[in-house]
Amino acid sequence: MNIPVIGVGTTKFGELWSASPRTLIREAYEQALVESGLDPDAIGGIFVGNMLSGILGNQENMGAFVSESIDLTGKAAVKVEGACASGGLAVHQGVLSILSGQYQAVLVIGIEKMTDHKPEEVAAALMGAGNDEERAAGLTFPGLYSLMARVHMRQFGTTEEDMAAVSVKNHYHASLNQKAQFQKEISVKDVLESPCISDPLKLLDCSPISDGASAIILAREGLVKKSSHGAVSIIASSASSDSLGLCGRPQLTGLSATQTAGRNAYSQAQMRPVDIDIAEVHDCFSIAEIMALEDLGFFEKGKAASIVRNGDLTLGSSRHLVVNTSGGLKACGHPVGATGVKQVVEIVEQLRGTAGKRQTSNARRGLTHNVGGSGAVAAVHILQHE
Amino acid sequence: MNIPVIGVGTTKFGELWSASPRTLIREAYEQALVESGLDPDAIGGIFVGNMLSGILGNQENMGAFVSESIDLTGKAAVKVEGACASGGLAVHQGVLSILSGQYQAVLVIGIEKMTDHKPEEVAAALMGAGNDEERAAGLTFPGLYSLMARVHMRQFGTTEEDMAAVSVKNHYHASLNQKAQFQKEISVKDVLESPCISDPLKLLDCSPISDGASAIILAREGLVKKSSHGAVSIIASSASSDSLGLCGRPQLTGLSATQTAGRNAYSQAQMRPVDIDIAEVHDCFSIAEIMALEDLGFFEKGKAASIVRNGDLTLGSSRHLVVNTSGGLKACGHPVGATGVKQVVEIVEQLRGTAGKRQTSNARRGLTHNVGGSGAVAAVHILQHE
């Protein structure tokens, strides 16, 4: 497949108390629209990645909510939901819609407004993506990922310092990203000394609660002239699922939904992991990035932690692969439904060379990886600069 | 397009207090699977129509919830939401996925479990599909549709008896449908004497709160042998949107989302309304069926009411068009996310001649029409028997 991404846009991520959901939607959309050079009427469909509007805001029908917010009533509009992978799954639906031949151009937009609510309400709402037995047992997402971290540590010798190195890298990248929630560097010591959330995960191992919106416009090949930056296209789009809870899984050192979606995406793109120059992976917790790097085949199981710790995946290192240049969920922020769309925005910016201070060099092929729940769903996309 | 529907299934609709969501999902899926004759592993994607699992049950990630319920973990799985049109929009996504060439066969399943909650909670949750200003003004969906009914009555002389005739017809059809929530006939007098809900709408003008699940399996052409009943295929699939609230609309005697989706569907199928033999339309309230019949072009504005009242759209009448043979939302029931999928199930049963006591004769082309909110989104499908 070859689906050009003809425009991208994103709001700043963070605690955006003065911005309404409609404001965020319009801002991300208008950036993407201007970039695309498209007549808005050419947009036939709207795919909205969002998880919590119903539980937190008693607002469903987000498709129509978006279409009226941006004066595109009349267009097909639908909310796509898969917990924290809602954005990535919305991108997948957008890709399918273009491939179907029924749509010439579509908007995929992710939006979440979380910080207007009390943190305990947000934490309870997020557990809406969980398994009933594990919720009843009192597990939260930090709890579920800390269980996986413990197994990974025991089996492969992964250390708390290794995990901390993920957060350090991603905060460094975010310090170069004006759209990021936390634009400041931290040290391994900062992470290790931050308050324990769910042992062994500490505050600075965890992604934050965030507001934000991100948008991309996809089009059939040839619909618009190529921009001066050249075209970046989605060349693979894959999704997979697994049990909602950890209790149903034979392995806890990785996510089979990621493994399956990744394998299928490489197959579609006729590539191997080594062909990828840049990736945005789902680092909801530091251990999650380590598992993702292994599940996506960049490194063997048990081998990713030391690579991160060596700084090999950091901007400017001599290794060819850089990971989470946006700052990732950890430091760019994690407005749930927006995350999977923002990952595509970041890869497009990087591949076409418009990523500003955080620009990596010579990247031609990028990958995005978005996870819902504790691995119940995953979406993987591969993008290429012509 | 030509997307064969190779299997259909539905649970009984009603107050199913002894059945869990997982039980309902399995029952609908297994019926569809057995009919399809497909190896479950051939199903690549799962599209779940559901609105209220988050607000009422704090359960999101319904894609994975379904995939694990039916032992299809590993498959792409996603929830599609557009209020009461969630089911129809899920069918649309299923169609796009097959057309994309990325999926050989997909399951579309609608599920809603509403009666375990207090009616006032359900009513508040349903208003999640509404517009903020109208919610703040105290409007509920019966209130919104009663406003539209008043305008329709004033402009076209539509009467309370005309609206009652919709419920009478649909209850008669449901009396022949073992899966329906209300399998009993009612009279115009029963409707007129039932308690006022929101003047001029009375209890028997309104669809109920229901539990239920419905499933269809779609496949690319040629994937399976045709059944002995011959093949029924989706030949048009269209969706549209409008403002969330009535206050943003220039007309109140019809739904522009329905008009647009209908026009596009006829254009795809290269058909006119007169070519349709049978339709399932969104009769959340009796006035909604009258508006739908006009918006879909079956009759001119202001002309549908007398046709319904004459009994012309009832099973067994001499007119060629029959409407809501399942009993519609009014009498078959309205488990929100399931409704749009059940409509396709009903049309498939009718076109292939397996609708039992409610079988219509000589129907070759059918239409489904599913609305979300007070017309903020709509999905229309056209099906044809070869």
Side-chain angles (χ1 to χ4, degrees):
Chain A
M1 70 180 68
N2 193 72
I3 312 287
V5 186
I6 61 171
V8 302
T10 191
T11 67
K12 185 181 183 312
F13 284 5
E15 298 191 9
L16 310 177
W17 295 341
S18 62
S20 73
R22 287 193 198 274
T23 311
L24 297 173
I25 288 164
R26 284 189 198 113
E27 185 184 333
Y29 162 67
E30 280 164 16
Q31 286 174 31
L33 182 71
V34 167
E35 270 201 12
S36 73
L38 207 63
D39 175 347
D41 201 46
I43 296 172
I46 301 168
F47 298 88
V48 182
N50 172 271
M51 174 185 180
L52 296 168
S53 69
I55 297 177
L56 288 181
N58 201 38
Q59 179 69 63
E60 289 292 1
N61 225 349
M62 285 297 285
F65 185 92
V66 169
S67 75
E68 82 171 15
S69 296
I70 57 176
D71 295 325
L72 282 182
T73 54
K75 307 300 184 173
V78 67
K79 167 171 163 172
V80 176
E81 194 270 326
C84 299
S86 298
L89 291 167
V91 176
H92 183 57
Q93 300 305 313
V95 167
L96 296 180
S97 74
I98 298 289
L99 287 174
S100 77
Q102 300 295 301
Y103 293 90
Q104 301 287 299
V106 299
L107 170 69
V108 182
I109 187 161
I111 164 73
E112 212 80 53
K113 196 76 174 66
M114 303 169 76
T115 72
D116 298 347
H117 304 269
K118 294 179 190 156
E120 53 272 32
E121 287 172 2
V122 176
L126 286 168
M127 277 311 288
N131 154 301
D132 282 346
E133 290 76 11
E134 290 172 3
R135 291 201 279 184
L139 275 161
T140 57
F141 278 106
L144 290 163
Y145 275 90
S146 73
L147 291 173
M148 292 191 270
R150 278 283 169 223
V151 176
H152 205 279
M153 291 167 81
R154 185 178 311 159
Q155 198 154 338
F156 303 115
T158 308
T159 67
E160 298 183 34
E161 288 79 3
D162 292 336
M163 294 189 280
V166 172
S167 298
V168 171
K169 168 176 69 68
N170 293 348
H171 269 260
Y172 166 63
H173 291 163
S175 74
L176 306 171
N177 181 1
Q178 292 186 323
K179 301 284 181 78
Q181 183 161 0
F182 302 122
Q183 299 172 35
K184 71 177 218 187
E185 292 190 62
I186 57 172
S187 67
V188 168
K189 183 161 174 284
D190 291 332
V191 180
L192 297 178
E193 290 179 357
S194 66
C196 181
I197 298 296
S198 178
D199 187 45
L201 298 178
K202 291 158 284 288
L203 183 66
L204 292 177
D205 288 299
C206 305
S207 59
I209 286 170
S210 317
D211 306 321
S214 302
I216 62 173
I217 297 176
L218 305 176
R220 68 167 171 76
E221 270 191 275
L223 186 69
V224 295
K225 285 187 197 155
K226 283 166 193 168
S227 78
S228 55
H229 305 300
V232 175
S233 295
I234 294 175
I235 60 167
S237 177
S238 176
S240 184
S241 67
D242 196 1
S243 64
L244 283 173
L246 300 188
C247 55
R249 303 189 192 161
Q251 62 159 354
L252 289 180
T253 53
L255 304 181
S256 78
T258 298
Q259 293 160 6
T260 305
R263 255 196 323 270
N264 293 343
Y266 292 127
S267 165
Q268 283 172 27
Q270 299 183 285
M271 282 184 188
R272 292 170 306 151
V274 73
D275 297 322
I276 303 294
D277 304 312
I278 182 167
E280 288 277 306
V281 306
H282 196 90
D283 61 323
C284 48
F285 300 94
S286 52
I287 184 65
E289 177 164 326
I290 291 171
M291 292 196 301
L293 293 169
E294 296 164 352
D295 291 336
L296 292 165
F298 294 126
F299 308 103
E300 282 175 45
K301 266 290 156 204
K303 303 288 189 196
S306 61
I307 307 272
V308 180
R309 190 134 180 226
N310 284 344
D312 287 350
L313 308 181
T314 308
L315 270 170
S317 88
S318 58
R319 200 182 184 94
H320 86 100
L321 180 69
V322 289
V323 174
N324 284 336
T325 51
S326 71
L329 285 63
K330 172 64 199 84
C332 187
H334 182 29
V336 168
T339 287
V341 184
K342 179 222 68 179
Q343 293 178 326
V344 175
V345 173
E346 176 67 14
I347 295 295
V348 169
E349 294 271 22
Q350 291 283 355
L351 294 186
R352 69 188 186 185
T354 56
K357 284 195 284 185
R358 66 186 190 289
Q359 182 64 51
T360 187
S361 53
N362 300 324
R364 216 180 134 236
R365 290 149 169 182
L367 177 148
T368 65
H369 162 250
N370 192 198
V371 172
S374 52
V377 285
V380 173
H381 288 86
I382 298 177
L383 293 95
Q384 183 168 270
H385 191 267
E386 65 179 6
Chain B
M1 70 180 70
N2 193 73
I3 312 287
V5 186
I6 62 171
V8 301
T10 191
T11 67
K12 186 181 182 310
F13 283 6
E15 298 191 10
L16 309 177
W17 295 342
S18 61
S20 73
R22 287 194 198 273
T23 311
L24 297 173
I25 288 163
R26 284 190 199 112
E27 185 184 333
Y29 162 66
E30 280 164 16
Q31 285 174 32
L33 182 71
V34 167
E35 269 200 13
S36 74
L38 207 63
D39 175 348
D41 201 45
I43 296 171
I46 300 169
F47 298 88
V48 182
N50 173 270
M51 174 186 181
L52 297 168
S53 70
I55 297 178
L56 288 182
N58 202 38
Q59 178 70 63
E60 290 292 1
N61 225 348
M62 285 297 286
F65 185 92
V66 168
S67 75
E68 82 172 14
S69 296
I70 58 176
D71 295 325
L72 282 183
T73 54
K75 307 302 183 172
V78 67
K79 167 170 162 172
V80 176
E81 195 270 325
C84 299
S86 298
L89 291 167
V91 175
H92 183 58
Q93 300 306 313
V95 166
L96 296 179
S97 74
I98 298 289
L99 287 174
S100 76
Q102 300 295 300
Y103 293 90
Q104 302 286 300
V106 298
L107 170 69
V108 182
I109 187 161
I111 163 76
E112 212 78 54
K113 195 76 174 69
M114 302 168 77
T115 73
D116 298 347
H117 304 270
K118 293 179 191 157
E120 54 271 33
E121 288 172 1
V122 177
L126 286 168
M127 277 311 289
N131 154 300
D132 281 346
E133 290 76 10
E134 292 172 1
R135 291 201 280 183
L139 274 161
T140 57
F141 279 106
L144 291 163
Y145 275 90
S146 72
L147 291 173
M148 291 192 270
R150 278 283 169 223
V151 176
H152 206 278
M153 291 166 81
R154 185 179 311 160
Q155 198 155 338
F156 303 115
T158 308
T159 67
E160 298 185 34
E161 288 80 3
D162 292 336
M163 294 189 279
V166 171
S167 298
V168 171
K169 168 176 69 67
N170 293 349
H171 268 260
Y172 166 62
H173 291 162
S175 75
L176 306 171
N177 181 1
Q178 290 186 325
K179 301 285 181 76
Q181 183 161 0
F182 301 123
Q183 298 172 35
K184 72 177 216 187
E185 294 189 61
I186 58 171
S187 67
V188 168
K189 184 161 173 284
D190 290 334
V191 180
L192 296 179
E193 290 179 356
S194 67
C196 181
I197 298 296
S198 179
D199 187 44
L201 300 178
K202 290 158 285 287
L203 183 66
L204 292 178
D205 287 299
C206 306
S207 59
I209 286 169
S210 318
D211 305 322
S214 303
I216 61 173
I217 297 176
L218 305 176
R220 68 166 170 76
E221 268 192 277
L223 186 69
V224 296
K225 285 188 197 154
K226 283 168 192 165
S227 78
S228 54
H229 305 299
V232 175
S233 295
I234 294 175
I235 60 167
S237 177
S238 177
S240 184
S241 66
D242 195 1
S243 65
L244 282 173
L246 301 188
C247 56
R249 302 188 193 162
Q251 61 160 355
L252 288 180
T253 54
L255 304 181
S256 79
T258 297
Q259 293 159 8
T260 306
R263 256 195 323 271
N264 292 344
Y266 292 127
S267 164
Q268 283 172 27
Q270 298 183 286
M271 282 184 190
R272 293 170 305 151
V274 72
D275 297 322
I276 302 296
D277 305 312
I278 182 168
E280 288 276 307
V281 306
H282 196 90
D283 60 324
C284 49
F285 299 95
S286 52
I287 185 65
E289 177 165 326
I290 291 170
M291 291 195 302
L293 293 169
E294 296 164 353
D295 291 337
L296 292 165
F298 294 126
F299 310 103
E300 282 175 44
K301 265 292 157 204
K303 303 289 190 196
S306 61
I307 308 272
V308 181
R309 190 134 180 227
N310 284 343
D312 286 351
L313 308 182
T314 309
L315 269 171
S317 88
S318 57
R319 200 181 184 96
H320 86 100
L321 180 69
V322 288
V323 174
N324 283 337
T325 51
S326 71
L329 284 63
K330 171 64 198 84
C332 186
H334 182 29
V336 168
T339 287
V341 184
K342 179 222 68 179
Q343 294 178 325
V344 175
V345 173
E346 176 68 13
I347 296 295
V348 169
E349 294 271 23
Q350 291 283 355
L351 295 185
R352 70 188 186 186
T354 55
K357 285 195 283 184
R358 66 186 189 289
Q359 181 64 50
T360 188
S361 53
N362 300 324
R364 216 181 132 236
R365 289 148 170 183
L367 177 148
T368 65
H369 162 251
N370 192 197
V371 172
S374 52
V377 285
V380 172
H381 288 85
I382 297 176
L383 294 94
Q384 183 168 272
H385 191 267
E386 64 179 4

